Amino acid sequence: MTLAADTRPATLPGLFTDLLRVVRSRLPHATPPAVSTGDALVRAMCHDMRSPLAALESVLDRLDPDDPRGPELLELARAQAHHLASMLRTADATGGASERRGVRTLADVVRASVAASGLPAQQLDLRLDDGAADVEVGDARVQRILTNLLENAHRHGGGRRVRLRADRRGDWVDLSLTQPGVPADRVLGHLSRTTPPVDLTGLGLWSVQRQTRELGGRLAWSQGEDGDFTLVVRLPDR
């Protein structure tokens, strides 16, 4: 009797704790809200622009006409400015700019994407077959996909040539981008992400796979015997 009287009060808190744990485990868990493209973009820009802006400010503060290091500092400032411009192009193509309304031909969309990407004309080998060039495009996401791919090739390609092809195959249009020296594993890793990256590294490619999926399209890739990497965005002609 004494043993039972001594142990019963001590076991009740443990029973309540176990019961509470079981009840909590059976309650539905709220799914965290998906990160929007806009939120991911703002977060990535804040993360990635902090360092180059600080470096640019520091360089400009130290520029002195009588300083013999002037040309070196000016070149550093120019490099930082180019880097910032590249990041802003990625942000614009990912979703920062307002969508352009109206219907355009794919040829017009390609030309606008090339201009927006910053890729030098002499670095691009472009070919659109007759069936694809006249396809009408009524969604701004097509240009965003192309601009992101071209800007990514420009930023990370080290000046290597880029080959862009557009081919119509039945009810589909294939947009193929080929470049040598591409780290396939890294690119495929960015394309397979289900959540946006913290910084701008891979944000454009994450946006490409997301917008391709939203448009009902597919992604494919290949690597030739020469090592050239090709990414194909296949979109339905609707």
Side-chain angles (χ1 to χ4, degrees), residues 93-94 99-100 102 104-114 128 132 135-150 164 166 173-175 207-208 210-217 233-238:
T94 300
E99 294 189 2
R100 177 172 174 175
R104 295 176 291 164
T105 66
L106 182 59
D108 289 337
V109 171
V110 169
R111 282 192 289 267
S113 301
V114 173
L128 284 72
V135 168
E136 294 185 336
V137 179
D139 196 299
R141 284 173 292 188
V142 177
Q143 182 172 331
R144 288 179 176 175
I145 288 170
L146 277 170
T147 304
N148 264 317
L149 291 177
L150 290 167
L164 176 61
V173 173
D174 288 354
L175 304 171
S207 174
V208 164
R210 177 170 176 164
Q211 292 175 358
T212 299
R213 186 172 63 249
E214 290 173 352
L215 289 170
V233 179
R234 198 172 200 208
L235 299 173
D237 179 11
R238 295 174 176 172

mmCIF file of all heavy atoms in Angstrom, residues 93-94 99-100 102 104-114 128 132 135-150 164 166 173-175 207-208 210-217 233-238:
data_model
loop_
_atom_site.group_PDB
_atom_site.id
_atom_site.type_symbol
_atom_site.label_atom_id
_atom_site.label_comp_id
_atom_site.label_asym_id
_atom_site.label_seq_id
_atom_site.Cartn_x
_atom_site.Cartn_y
_atom_site.Cartn_z
ATOM 1 N N ALA A 93 15.489 38.807 -65.697
ATOM 2 C CA ALA A 93 14.985 37.651 -66.431
ATOM 3 C C ALA A 93 14.258 36.674 -65.517
ATOM 4 O O ALA A 93 13.362 35.954 -65.959
ATOM 5 C CB ALA A 93 16.141 36.929 -67.128
ATOM 6 N N THR A 94 14.627 36.646 -64.239
ATOM 7 C CA THR A 94 13.995 35.716 -63.311
ATOM 8 C C THR A 94 12.594 36.157 -62.933
ATOM 9 O O THR A 94 11.745 35.351 -62.596
ATOM 10 C CB THR A 94 14.854 35.580 -62.039
ATOM 11 O OG1 THR A 94 16.148 35.087 -62.415
ATOM 12 C CG2 THR A 94 14.235 34.607 -61.054
ATOM 13 N N GLU A 99 5.803 42.062 -66.939
ATOM 14 C CA GLU A 99 5.628 41.236 -68.126
ATOM 15 C C GLU A 99 5.168 42.087 -69.311
ATOM 16 O O GLU A 99 4.312 42.950 -69.173
ATOM 17 C CB GLU A 99 4.596 40.139 -67.848
ATOM 18 C CG GLU A 99 5.050 39.123 -66.812
ATOM 19 C CD GLU A 99 4.096 37.948 -66.727
ATOM 20 O OE1 GLU A 99 3.119 37.940 -67.499
ATOM 21 O OE2 GLU A 99 4.333 37.058 -65.910
ATOM 22 N N ARG A 100 5.744 41.810 -70.457
ATOM 23 C CA ARG A 100 5.346 42.512 -71.676
ATOM 24 C C ARG A 100 4.128 41.825 -72.273
ATOM 25 O O ARG A 100 4.099 40.609 -72.427
ATOM 26 C CB ARG A 100 6.504 42.481 -72.674
ATOM 27 C CG ARG A 100 6.164 43.137 -74.007
ATOM 28 C CD ARG A 100 7.402 43.244 -74.883
ATOM 29 N NE ARG A 100 7.064 43.745 -76.196
ATOM 30 C CZ ARG A 100 7.966 44.031 -77.131
ATOM 31 N NH1 ARG A 100 9.246 43.864 -76.866
ATOM 32 N NH2 ARG A 100 7.586 44.479 -78.313
ATOM 33 N N GLY A 102 1.038 41.150 -75.182
ATOM 34 C CA GLY A 102 0.939 41.048 -76.621
ATOM 35 C C GLY A 102 1.614 39.800 -77.158
ATOM 36 O O GLY A 102 2.321 39.089 -76.445
ATOM 37 N N ARG A 104 4.137 38.017 -79.962
ATOM 38 C CA ARG A 104 5.291 38.260 -80.825
ATOM 39 C C ARG A 104 5.720 36.946 -81.449
ATOM 40 O O ARG A 104 5.373 35.869 -80.962
ATOM 41 C CB ARG A 104 6.456 38.852 -80.032
ATOM 42 C CG ARG A 104 6.203 40.226 -79.463
ATOM 43 C CD ARG A 104 7.380 40.694 -78.622
ATOM 44 N NE ARG A 104 7.498 39.922 -77.390
ATOM 45 C CZ ARG A 104 8.574 39.892 -76.621
ATOM 46 N NH1 ARG A 104 9.652 40.558 -76.980
ATOM 47 N NH2 ARG A 104 8.587 39.195 -75.517
ATOM 48 N N THR A 105 6.508 37.021 -82.496
ATOM 49 C CA THR A 105 7.059 35.794 -83.069
ATOM 50 C C THR A 105 8.244 35.333 -82.225
ATOM 51 O O THR A 105 8.864 36.136 -81.509
ATOM 52 C CB THR A 105 7.524 36.013 -84.515
ATOM 53 O OG1 THR A 105 8.628 36.930 -84.529
ATOM 54 C CG2 THR A 105 6.386 36.540 -85.382
ATOM 55 N N LEU A 106 8.552 34.070 -82.326
ATOM 56 C CA LEU A 106 9.691 33.540 -81.576
ATOM 57 C C LEU A 106 10.986 34.214 -82.023
ATOM 58 O O LEU A 106 11.879 34.434 -81.202
ATOM 59 C CB LEU A 106 9.795 32.026 -81.777
ATOM 60 C CG LEU A 106 10.920 31.332 -81.002
ATOM 61 C CD1 LEU A 106 10.776 31.533 -79.509
ATOM 62 C CD2 LEU A 106 10.957 29.833 -81.324
ATOM 63 N N ALA A 107 11.084 34.559 -83.290
ATOM 64 C CA ALA A 107 12.288 35.242 -83.773
ATOM 65 C C ALA A 107 12.483 36.561 -83.031
ATOM 66 O O ALA A 107 13.606 36.902 -82.626
ATOM 67 C CB ALA A 107 12.183 35.490 -85.278
ATOM 68 N N ASP A 108 11.400 37.315 -82.805
ATOM 69 C CA ASP A 108 11.495 38.575 -82.063
ATOM 70 C C ASP A 108 11.876 38.326 -80.609
ATOM 71 O O ASP A 108 12.669 39.076 -80.019
ATOM 72 C CB ASP A 108 10.167 39.326 -82.117
ATOM 73 C CG ASP A 108 9.877 39.903 -83.498
ATOM 74 O OD1 ASP A 108 10.845 40.106 -84.252
ATOM 75 O OD2 ASP A 108 8.694 40.141 -83.800
ATOM 76 N N VAL A 109 11.311 37.288 -80.027
ATOM 77 C CA VAL A 109 11.615 36.955 -78.632
ATOM 78 C C VAL A 109 13.085 36.579 -78.480
ATOM 79 O O VAL A 109 13.747 36.982 -77.523
ATOM 80 C CB VAL A 109 10.702 35.818 -78.144
ATOM 81 C CG1 VAL A 109 11.157 35.300 -76.777
ATOM 82 C CG2 VAL A 109 9.257 36.279 -78.069
ATOM 83 N N VAL A 110 13.599 35.805 -79.429
ATOM 84 C CA VAL A 110 15.007 35.411 -79.372
ATOM 85 C C VAL A 110 15.911 36.627 -79.472
ATOM 86 O O VAL A 110 16.872 36.774 -78.709
ATOM 87 C CB VAL A 110 15.329 34.387 -80.486
ATOM 88 C CG1 VAL A 110 16.841 34.175 -80.602
ATOM 89 C CG2 VAL A 110 14.638 33.064 -80.205
ATOM 90 N N ARG A 111 15.607 37.531 -80.403
ATOM 91 C CA ARG A 111 16.435 38.725 -80.547
ATOM 92 C C ARG A 111 16.413 39.575 -79.278
ATOM 93 O O ARG A 111 17.449 40.082 -78.836
ATOM 94 C CB ARG A 111 15.945 39.553 -81.749
ATOM 95 C CG ARG A 111 16.385 39.008 -83.094
ATOM 96 C CD ARG A 111 16.129 40.009 -84.207
ATOM 97 N NE ARG A 111 14.699 40.131 -84.471
ATOM 98 C CZ ARG A 111 14.055 39.415 -85.397
ATOM 99 N NH1 ARG A 111 14.726 38.539 -86.129
ATOM 100 N NH2 ARG A 111 12.759 39.594 -85.606
ATOM 101 N N ALA A 112 15.238 39.720 -78.669
ATOM 102 C CA ALA A 112 15.135 40.488 -77.430
ATOM 103 C C ALA A 112 15.888 39.807 -76.289
ATOM 104 O O ALA A 112 16.519 40.477 -75.463
ATOM 105 C CB ALA A 112 13.665 40.672 -77.054
ATOM 106 N N SER A 113 15.859 38.481 -76.251
ATOM 107 C CA SER A 113 16.558 37.737 -75.198
ATOM 108 C C SER A 113 18.066 37.889 -75.328
ATOM 109 O O SER A 113 18.773 38.063 -74.334
ATOM 110 C CB SER A 113 16.176 36.251 -75.264
ATOM 111 O OG SER A 113 14.790 36.069 -75.117
ATOM 112 N N VAL A 114 18.559 37.830 -76.550
ATOM 113 C CA VAL A 114 19.998 37.999 -76.786
ATOM 114 C C VAL A 114 20.437 39.392 -76.352
ATOM 115 O O VAL A 114 21.455 39.559 -75.671
ATOM 116 C CB VAL A 114 20.337 37.764 -78.277
ATOM 117 C CG1 VAL A 114 21.789 38.111 -78.550
ATOM 118 C CG2 VAL A 114 20.063 36.320 -78.662
ATOM 119 N N LEU A 128 17.549 29.597 -86.349
ATOM 120 C CA LEU A 128 16.132 29.305 -86.146
ATOM 121 C C LEU A 128 15.580 28.722 -87.433
ATOM 122 O O LEU A 128 15.718 29.337 -88.500
ATOM 123 C CB LEU A 128 15.345 30.573 -85.794
ATOM 124 C CG LEU A 128 15.455 31.141 -84.387
ATOM 125 C CD1 LEU A 128 16.816 31.778 -84.146
ATOM 126 C CD2 LEU A 128 14.350 32.173 -84.149
ATOM 127 N N ALA A 132 10.036 27.327 -86.718
ATOM 128 C CA ALA A 132 10.091 27.845 -85.351
ATOM 129 C C ALA A 132 10.090 29.366 -85.319
ATOM 130 O O ALA A 132 9.505 29.978 -84.417
ATOM 131 C CB ALA A 132 11.327 27.308 -84.639
ATOM 132 N N VAL A 135 6.660 30.985 -85.086
ATOM 133 C CA VAL A 135 5.737 30.573 -84.027
ATOM 134 C C VAL A 135 5.394 31.784 -83.169
ATOM 135 O O VAL A 135 6.275 32.559 -82.782
ATOM 136 C CB VAL A 135 6.364 29.465 -83.149
ATOM 137 C CG1 VAL A 135 5.540 29.238 -81.883
ATOM 138 C CG2 VAL A 135 6.471 28.171 -83.944
ATOM 139 N N GLU A 136 4.121 31.964 -82.859
ATOM 140 C CA GLU A 136 3.705 33.102 -82.046
ATOM 141 C C GLU A 136 3.870 32.803 -80.561
ATOM 142 O O GLU A 136 3.536 31.714 -80.092
ATOM 143 C CB GLU A 136 2.238 33.460 -82.359
ATOM 144 C CG GLU A 136 2.035 33.982 -83.762
ATOM 145 C CD GLU A 136 0.609 34.444 -83.999
ATOM 146 O OE1 GLU A 136 -0.302 33.961 -83.291
ATOM 147 O OE2 GLU A 136 0.403 35.278 -84.895
ATOM 148 N N VAL A 137 4.389 33.790 -79.849
ATOM 149 C CA VAL A 137 4.663 33.648 -78.417
ATOM 150 C C VAL A 137 3.835 34.686 -77.670
ATOM 151 O O VAL A 137 3.959 35.879 -77.921
ATOM 152 C CB VAL A 137 6.161 33.860 -78.111
ATOM 153 C CG1 VAL A 137 6.425 33.745 -76.613
ATOM 154 C CG2 VAL A 137 7.000 32.858 -78.886
ATOM 155 N N GLY A 138 3.004 34.211 -76.764
ATOM 156 C CA GLY A 138 2.149 35.121 -76.009
ATOM 157 C C GLY A 138 2.411 35.107 -74.520
ATOM 158 O O GLY A 138 1.595 35.612 -73.747
ATOM 159 N N ASP A 139 3.536 34.549 -74.111
ATOM 160 C CA ASP A 139 3.847 34.469 -72.684
ATOM 161 C C ASP A 139 5.254 34.989 -72.423
ATOM 162 O O ASP A 139 6.215 34.545 -73.059
ATOM 163 C CB ASP A 139 3.734 33.013 -72.206
ATOM 164 C CG ASP A 139 3.656 32.900 -70.693
ATOM 165 O OD1 ASP A 139 4.622 33.327 -70.021
ATOM 166 O OD2 ASP A 139 2.648 32.391 -70.180
ATOM 167 N N ALA A 140 5.391 35.924 -71.487
ATOM 168 C CA ALA A 140 6.693 36.541 -71.201
ATOM 169 C C ALA A 140 7.700 35.551 -70.634
ATOM 170 O O ALA A 140 8.902 35.801 -70.670
ATOM 171 C CB ALA A 140 6.512 37.705 -70.226
ATOM 172 N N ARG A 141 7.204 34.416 -70.112
ATOM 173 C CA ARG A 141 8.126 33.450 -69.512
ATOM 174 C C ARG A 141 9.068 32.826 -70.535
ATOM 175 O O ARG A 141 10.167 32.391 -70.179
ATOM 176 C CB ARG A 141 7.334 32.376 -68.766
ATOM 177 C CG ARG A 141 6.771 32.855 -67.436
ATOM 178 C CD ARG A 141 5.846 31.840 -66.806
ATOM 179 N NE ARG A 141 4.615 31.697 -67.572
ATOM 180 C CZ ARG A 141 3.559 30.988 -67.168
ATOM 181 N NH1 ARG A 141 3.605 30.359 -66.008
ATOM 182 N NH2 ARG A 141 2.466 30.900 -67.899
ATOM 183 N N VAL A 142 8.655 32.761 -71.788
ATOM 184 C CA VAL A 142 9.541 32.216 -72.825
ATOM 185 C C VAL A 142 10.793 33.080 -72.945
ATOM 186 O O VAL A 142 11.923 32.574 -73.007
ATOM 187 C CB VAL A 142 8.808 32.102 -74.175
ATOM 188 C CG1 VAL A 142 9.768 31.599 -75.255
ATOM 189 C CG2 VAL A 142 7.613 31.167 -74.059
ATOM 190 N N GLN A 143 10.612 34.402 -72.982
ATOM 191 C CA GLN A 143 11.780 35.281 -73.062
ATOM 192 C C GLN A 143 12.615 35.199 -71.785
ATOM 193 O O GLN A 143 13.840 35.258 -71.844
ATOM 194 C CB GLN A 143 11.345 36.730 -73.308
ATOM 195 C CG GLN A 143 12.538 37.691 -73.437
ATOM 196 C CD GLN A 143 12.143 39.078 -73.879
ATOM 197 O OE1 GLN A 143 11.138 39.251 -74.584
ATOM 198 N NE2 GLN A 143 12.904 40.077 -73.479
ATOM 199 N N ARG A 144 11.981 35.057 -70.650
ATOM 200 C CA ARG A 144 12.736 34.949 -69.406
ATOM 201 C C ARG A 144 13.596 33.691 -69.393
ATOM 202 O O ARG A 144 14.735 33.703 -68.933
ATOM 203 C CB ARG A 144 11.775 34.953 -68.218
ATOM 204 C CG ARG A 144 11.146 36.309 -67.966
ATOM 205 C CD ARG A 144 10.183 36.269 -66.802
ATOM 206 N NE ARG A 144 9.652 37.592 -66.513
ATOM 207 C CZ ARG A 144 8.723 37.828 -65.608
ATOM 208 N NH1 ARG A 144 8.214 36.839 -64.910
ATOM 209 N NH2 ARG A 144 8.304 39.055 -65.399
ATOM 210 N N ILE A 145 13.057 32.600 -69.900
ATOM 211 C CA ILE A 145 13.825 31.349 -69.964
ATOM 212 C C ILE A 145 15.056 31.538 -70.841
ATOM 213 O O ILE A 145 16.181 31.197 -70.454
ATOM 214 C CB ILE A 145 12.934 30.211 -70.503
ATOM 215 C CG1 ILE A 145 11.894 29.802 -69.447
ATOM 216 C CG2 ILE A 145 13.780 29.009 -70.916
ATOM 217 C CD1 ILE A 145 10.830 28.861 -69.976
ATOM 218 N N LEU A 146 14.851 32.081 -72.039
ATOM 219 C CA LEU A 146 15.962 32.279 -72.969
ATOM 220 C C LEU A 146 17.000 33.257 -72.416
ATOM 221 O O LEU A 146 18.210 33.014 -72.511
ATOM 222 C CB LEU A 146 15.431 32.780 -74.307
ATOM 223 C CG LEU A 146 14.898 31.722 -75.276
ATOM 224 C CD1 LEU A 146 14.189 32.391 -76.445
ATOM 225 C CD2 LEU A 146 16.024 30.825 -75.768
ATOM 226 N N THR A 147 16.534 34.357 -71.848
ATOM 227 C CA THR A 147 17.471 35.350 -71.311
ATOM 228 C C THR A 147 18.293 34.765 -70.183
ATOM 229 O O THR A 147 19.503 34.991 -70.088
ATOM 230 C CB THR A 147 16.711 36.593 -70.814
ATOM 231 O OG1 THR A 147 15.923 37.116 -71.879
ATOM 232 C CG2 THR A 147 17.682 37.664 -70.338
ATOM 233 N N ASN A 148 17.663 34.003 -69.306
ATOM 234 C CA ASN A 148 18.395 33.373 -68.206
ATOM 235 C C ASN A 148 19.473 32.427 -68.720
ATOM 236 O O ASN A 148 20.602 32.426 -68.228
ATOM 237 C CB ASN A 148 17.424 32.619 -67.295
ATOM 238 C CG ASN A 148 16.998 33.431 -66.096
ATOM 239 O OD1 ASN A 148 17.811 34.099 -65.470
ATOM 240 N ND2 ASN A 148 15.723 33.387 -65.768
ATOM 241 N N LEU A 149 19.136 31.609 -69.709
ATOM 242 C CA LEU A 149 20.106 30.655 -70.238
ATOM 243 C C LEU A 149 21.273 31.378 -70.910
ATOM 244 O O LEU A 149 22.442 31.011 -70.718
ATOM 245 C CB LEU A 149 19.424 29.714 -71.231
ATOM 246 C CG LEU A 149 18.424 28.716 -70.639
ATOM 247 C CD1 LEU A 149 17.764 27.908 -71.746
ATOM 248 C CD2 LEU A 149 19.118 27.781 -69.641
ATOM 249 N N LEU A 150 20.977 32.400 -71.699
ATOM 250 C CA LEU A 150 22.035 33.127 -72.393
ATOM 251 C C LEU A 150 22.886 33.931 -71.417
ATOM 252 O O LEU A 150 24.116 33.996 -71.552
ATOM 253 C CB LEU A 150 21.416 34.047 -73.446
ATOM 254 C CG LEU A 150 20.784 33.338 -74.652
ATOM 255 C CD1 LEU A 150 19.923 34.301 -75.455
ATOM 256 C CD2 LEU A 150 21.856 32.713 -75.533
ATOM 257 N N LEU A 164 22.867 28.520 -80.219
ATOM 258 C CA LEU A 164 21.443 28.490 -79.896
ATOM 259 C C LEU A 164 20.662 28.046 -81.127
ATOM 260 O O LEU A 164 20.810 28.623 -82.207
ATOM 261 C CB LEU A 164 20.965 29.879 -79.444
ATOM 262 C CG LEU A 164 19.465 30.027 -79.149
ATOM 263 C CD1 LEU A 164 19.024 29.102 -78.036
ATOM 264 C CD2 LEU A 164 19.125 31.486 -78.804
ATOM 265 N N ALA A 166 16.675 26.798 -82.553
ATOM 266 C CA ALA A 166 15.239 26.691 -82.325
ATOM 267 C C ALA A 166 14.646 25.868 -83.458
ATOM 268 O O ALA A 166 14.800 26.223 -84.637
ATOM 269 C CB ALA A 166 14.583 28.069 -82.260
ATOM 270 N N VAL A 173 8.247 23.035 -79.747
ATOM 271 C CA VAL A 173 9.388 23.829 -80.196
ATOM 272 C C VAL A 173 10.549 23.541 -79.261
ATOM 273 O O VAL A 173 10.423 23.652 -78.035
ATOM 274 C CB VAL A 173 9.076 25.341 -80.186
ATOM 275 C CG1 VAL A 173 10.334 26.147 -80.486
ATOM 276 C CG2 VAL A 173 7.986 25.668 -81.197
ATOM 277 N N ASP A 174 11.680 23.143 -79.841
ATOM 278 C CA ASP A 174 12.879 22.847 -79.061
ATOM 279 C C ASP A 174 13.835 24.031 -79.111
ATOM 280 O O ASP A 174 14.223 24.480 -80.203
ATOM 281 C CB ASP A 174 13.595 21.607 -79.609
ATOM 282 C CG ASP A 174 12.851 20.322 -79.305
ATOM 283 O OD1 ASP A 174 11.837 20.399 -78.579
ATOM 284 O OD2 ASP A 174 13.263 19.255 -79.788
ATOM 285 N N LEU A 175 14.218 24.526 -77.934
ATOM 286 C CA LEU A 175 15.227 25.569 -77.817
ATOM 287 C C LEU A 175 16.470 24.922 -77.228
ATOM 288 O O LEU A 175 16.462 24.499 -76.067
ATOM 289 C CB LEU A 175 14.727 26.690 -76.910
ATOM 290 C CG LEU A 175 13.389 27.332 -77.309
ATOM 291 C CD1 LEU A 175 12.896 28.269 -76.212
ATOM 292 C CD2 LEU A 175 13.537 28.072 -78.630
ATOM 293 N N SER A 207 14.962 29.138 -61.990
ATOM 294 C CA SER A 207 13.838 29.811 -62.625
ATOM 295 C C SER A 207 13.500 29.167 -63.968
ATOM 296 O O SER A 207 12.325 29.029 -64.319
ATOM 297 C CB SER A 207 14.165 31.299 -62.819
ATOM 298 O OG SER A 207 13.156 31.955 -63.551
ATOM 299 N N VAL A 208 14.518 28.749 -64.717
ATOM 300 C CA VAL A 208 14.296 28.107 -66.015
ATOM 301 C C VAL A 208 13.464 26.840 -65.852
ATOM 302 O O VAL A 208 12.474 26.631 -66.564
ATOM 303 C CB VAL A 208 15.641 27.792 -66.696
ATOM 304 C CG1 VAL A 208 15.447 26.790 -67.841
ATOM 305 C CG2 VAL A 208 16.280 29.066 -67.233
ATOM 306 N N ARG A 210 11.570 25.955 -63.372
ATOM 307 C CA ARG A 210 10.243 26.251 -62.825
ATOM 308 C C ARG A 210 9.315 26.798 -63.896
ATOM 309 O O ARG A 210 8.169 26.348 -64.036
ATOM 310 C CB ARG A 210 10.375 27.254 -61.671
ATOM 311 C CG ARG A 210 9.032 27.684 -61.095
ATOM 312 C CD ARG A 210 9.206 28.475 -59.825
ATOM 313 N NE ARG A 210 7.941 28.974 -59.322
ATOM 314 C CZ ARG A 210 7.765 29.429 -58.084
ATOM 315 N NH1 ARG A 210 8.763 29.431 -57.235
ATOM 316 N NH2 ARG A 210 6.587 29.883 -57.693
ATOM 317 N N GLN A 211 9.796 27.754 -64.687
ATOM 318 C CA GLN A 211 8.942 28.367 -65.701
ATOM 319 C C GLN A 211 8.673 27.402 -66.855
ATOM 320 O O GLN A 211 7.587 27.425 -67.448
ATOM 321 C CB GLN A 211 9.580 29.669 -66.190
ATOM 322 C CG GLN A 211 9.599 30.740 -65.102
ATOM 323 C CD GLN A 211 10.328 32.007 -65.515
ATOM 324 O OE1 GLN A 211 10.864 32.093 -66.604
ATOM 325 N NE2 GLN A 211 10.346 32.983 -64.621
ATOM 326 N N THR A 212 9.645 26.558 -67.170
ATOM 327 C CA THR A 212 9.413 25.537 -68.204
ATOM 328 C C THR A 212 8.294 24.602 -67.772
ATOM 329 O O THR A 212 7.399 24.259 -68.568
ATOM 330 C CB THR A 212 10.702 24.734 -68.456
ATOM 331 O OG1 THR A 212 11.725 25.599 -68.925
ATOM 332 C CG2 THR A 212 10.461 23.646 -69.489
ATOM 333 N N ARG A 213 8.325 24.191 -66.522
ATOM 334 C CA ARG A 213 7.281 23.306 -66.000
ATOM 335 C C ARG A 213 5.920 24.008 -65.998
ATOM 336 O O ARG A 213 4.901 23.409 -66.343
ATOM 337 C CB ARG A 213 7.653 22.858 -64.590
ATOM 338 C CG ARG A 213 6.716 21.811 -64.007
ATOM 339 C CD ARG A 213 7.224 21.264 -62.698
ATOM 340 N NE ARG A 213 7.314 22.294 -61.676
ATOM 341 C CZ ARG A 213 8.444 22.764 -61.183
ATOM 342 N NH1 ARG A 213 9.599 22.315 -61.634
ATOM 343 N NH2 ARG A 213 8.443 23.696 -60.243
ATOM 344 N N GLU A 214 5.900 25.295 -65.612
ATOM 345 C CA GLU A 214 4.635 26.045 -65.590
ATOM 346 C C GLU A 214 4.026 26.150 -66.989
ATOM 347 O O GLU A 214 2.804 26.197 -67.137
ATOM 348 C CB GLU A 214 4.881 27.443 -65.024
ATOM 349 C CG GLU A 214 5.190 27.458 -63.531
ATOM 350 C CD GLU A 214 5.589 28.838 -63.040
ATOM 351 O OE1 GLU A 214 5.773 29.742 -63.893
ATOM 352 O OE2 GLU A 214 5.722 29.026 -61.824
ATOM 353 N N LEU A 215 4.880 26.184 -68.012
ATOM 354 C CA LEU A 215 4.399 26.296 -69.389
ATOM 355 C C LEU A 215 4.039 24.937 -69.991
ATOM 356 O O LEU A 215 3.660 24.864 -71.165
ATOM 357 C CB LEU A 215 5.470 26.973 -70.254
ATOM 358 C CG LEU A 215 5.685 28.467 -69.987
ATOM 359 C CD1 LEU A 215 6.936 28.959 -70.717
ATOM 360 C CD2 LEU A 215 4.472 29.283 -70.402
ATOM 361 N N GLY A 216 4.171 23.881 -69.201
ATOM 362 C CA GLY A 216 3.869 22.542 -69.701
ATOM 363 C C GLY A 216 4.993 21.939 -70.513
ATOM 364 O O GLY A 216 4.766 21.000 -71.289
ATOM 365 N N GLY A 217 6.211 22.478 -70.356
ATOM 366 C CA GLY A 217 7.350 22.013 -71.141
ATOM 367 C C GLY A 217 8.194 20.978 -70.429
ATOM 368 O O GLY A 217 7.872 20.521 -69.322
ATOM 369 N N VAL A 233 15.269 23.012 -73.997
ATOM 370 C CA VAL A 233 13.982 23.391 -73.411
ATOM 371 C C VAL A 233 12.916 23.097 -74.455
ATOM 372 O O VAL A 233 12.903 23.709 -75.536
ATOM 373 C CB VAL A 233 13.956 24.878 -73.033
ATOM 374 C CG1 VAL A 233 12.597 25.251 -72.447
ATOM 375 C CG2 VAL A 233 15.070 25.200 -72.040
ATOM 376 N N ARG A 234 12.030 22.161 -74.154
ATOM 377 C CA ARG A 234 10.987 21.767 -75.110
ATOM 378 C C ARG A 234 9.657 22.319 -74.643
ATOM 379 O O ARG A 234 9.161 21.960 -73.570
ATOM 380 C CB ARG A 234 10.939 20.244 -75.232
ATOM 381 C CG ARG A 234 10.217 19.794 -76.468
ATOM 382 C CD ARG A 234 10.328 18.305 -76.685
ATOM 383 N NE ARG A 234 10.052 17.958 -78.066
ATOM 384 C CZ ARG A 234 9.555 16.777 -78.445
ATOM 385 N NH1 ARG A 234 9.323 15.831 -77.549
ATOM 386 N NH2 ARG A 234 9.329 16.549 -79.718
ATOM 387 N N LEU A 235 9.074 23.204 -75.453
ATOM 388 C CA LEU A 235 7.844 23.883 -75.083
ATOM 389 C C LEU A 235 6.722 23.524 -76.058
ATOM 390 O O LEU A 235 6.959 23.420 -77.260
ATOM 391 C CB LEU A 235 8.038 25.401 -75.074
ATOM 392 C CG LEU A 235 9.084 25.945 -74.086
ATOM 393 C CD1 LEU A 235 9.282 27.429 -74.309
ATOM 394 C CD2 LEU A 235 8.663 25.658 -72.656
ATOM 395 N N PRO A 236 5.498 23.366 -75.545
ATOM 396 C CA PRO A 236 4.371 23.042 -76.443
ATOM 397 C C PRO A 236 3.937 24.267 -77.241
ATOM 398 O O PRO A 236 3.888 25.378 -76.706
ATOM 399 C CB PRO A 236 3.266 22.606 -75.461
ATOM 400 C CG PRO A 236 3.599 23.308 -74.173
ATOM 401 C CD PRO A 236 5.087 23.400 -74.125
ATOM 402 N N ASP A 237 3.656 24.064 -78.512
ATOM 403 C CA ASP A 237 3.139 25.133 -79.366
ATOM 404 C C ASP A 237 1.616 25.161 -79.217
ATOM 405 O O ASP A 237 0.917 24.344 -79.796
ATOM 406 C CB ASP A 237 3.550 24.879 -80.821
ATOM 407 C CG ASP A 237 3.004 25.952 -81.762
ATOM 408 O OD1 ASP A 237 2.503 26.974 -81.249
ATOM 409 O OD2 ASP A 237 3.073 25.759 -82.981
ATOM 410 N N ARG A 238 1.161 26.117 -78.425
ATOM 411 C CA ARG A 238 -0.270 26.199 -78.140
ATOM 412 C C ARG A 238 -0.923 27.356 -78.869
ATOM 413 O O ARG A 238 -1.979 27.786 -78.524
ATOM 414 C CB ARG A 238 -0.498 26.343 -76.640
ATOM 415 C CG ARG A 238 -0.040 25.094 -75.867
ATOM 416 C CD ARG A 238 -0.149 25.315 -74.377
ATOM 417 N NE ARG A 238 0.192 24.092 -73.646
ATOM 418 C CZ ARG A 238 0.334 24.031 -72.318
ATOM 419 N NH1 ARG A 238 0.156 25.126 -71.606
ATOM 420 N NH2 ARG A 238 0.642 22.915 -71.723
#
